[in-house]
Amino acid sequence: MSQPQRAISQTKEALLKTYHKKLKDDVRSMFDNFTEIIRLARVEEDSQIAKMTQTEQDQYEMQVRASNIGRAGESLMKLVSDLKQFLVLNDFPSVNESITTNTQLYKNIQSECDKTLMNLKDEMSVELFELEDEYYSSSYK
């Protein structure tokens, strides 16, 4: 493998590792925040903080954690978009195979259309010949 190809391969590998790390971090963030929201939902009996104050604090923390879950979800959606773009831009064999398949399909369709048109032309030619013959041999002309 030549140096430029090896460098490109290492770049792709590094990018994929970055994507994998980002995936793990976002999923872990979602899990941790969800776990903390569940923990906050538990009712605690005795506390030195007033019930209303504790409730407000818990509500605020839940909102922040829900926002963190939303942010991680958006990050995962961006990651999916980046992976799709990476696949489209770097999967040349698949793209070439798709182009070749489509080209062959359209050539087959073109061939069938050409055959149909030729048959139609031949039939029309025969019918036109018969019509001309009938017209010229008619006594009404």
Side-chain angles (χ1 to χ4, degrees):
M1 187 182 275
S2 67
Q3 284 296 83
Q5 287 178 340
R6 194 172 299 153
I8 291 171
S9 178
Q10 289 174 348
T11 303
K12 286 181 187 178
E13 192 67 32
L15 188 59
L16 289 174
K17 283 183 181 177
T18 302
Y19 288 156
H20 193 259
K21 182 184 181 313
K22 189 169 182 66
L23 172 71
K24 281 188 172 185
D25 291 345
D26 289 339
V27 170
R28 183 176 311 283
S29 172
M30 290 177 89
F31 177 76
D32 291 344
N33 283 297
F34 185 74
T35 304
E36 287 300 313
I37 287 174
I38 298 300
R39 185 189 58 79
L40 288 171
R42 291 187 186 148
V43 178
E44 295 181 15
E45 294 296 321
D46 295 331
S47 176
Q48 292 182 358
I49 302 174
K51 288 264 187 212
M52 289 302 288
T53 306
Q54 185 65 41
T55 302
E56 288 294 321
Q57 181 180 352
D58 290 347
Q59 181 182 6
Y60 178 71
E61 187 175 347
M62 283 183 184
Q63 288 175 350
V64 169
R65 293 199 177 275
S67 177
N68 288 342
I69 290 172
R71 191 174 304 114
E74 288 175 0
S75 179
L76 286 172
M77 292 193 45
K78 171 81 168 91
L79 179 64
V80 168
S81 174
D82 289 346
L83 285 170
K84 286 179 181 178
Q85 183 178 14
F86 176 82
L87 181 64
V88 167
L89 294 177
N90 294 306
D91 192 17
F92 295 119
S94 176
V95 171
N96 288 339
E97 181 181 332
S98 174
I99 289 171
T100 303
T101 303
N102 284 339
T103 301
Q104 187 61 40
L105 174 71
Y106 293 134
K107 282 183 180 180
N108 291 341
I109 291 172
Q110 179 186 7
S111 175
E112 289 176 22
C113 287
D114 287 344
K115 286 177 185 176
T116 304
L117 285 172
M118 289 302 289
N119 288 339
L120 187 61
K121 182 193 90 143
D122 291 341
E123 288 176 14
M124 287 180 68
S125 179
V126 168
E127 293 296 324
L128 184 58
F129 180 76
E130 290 177 4
L131 283 171
E132 285 177 346
D133 187 46
E134 188 69 30
Y135 176 74
Y136 289 120
S137 65
S138 166
S139 60
Y140 297 110
K141 79 175 179 163

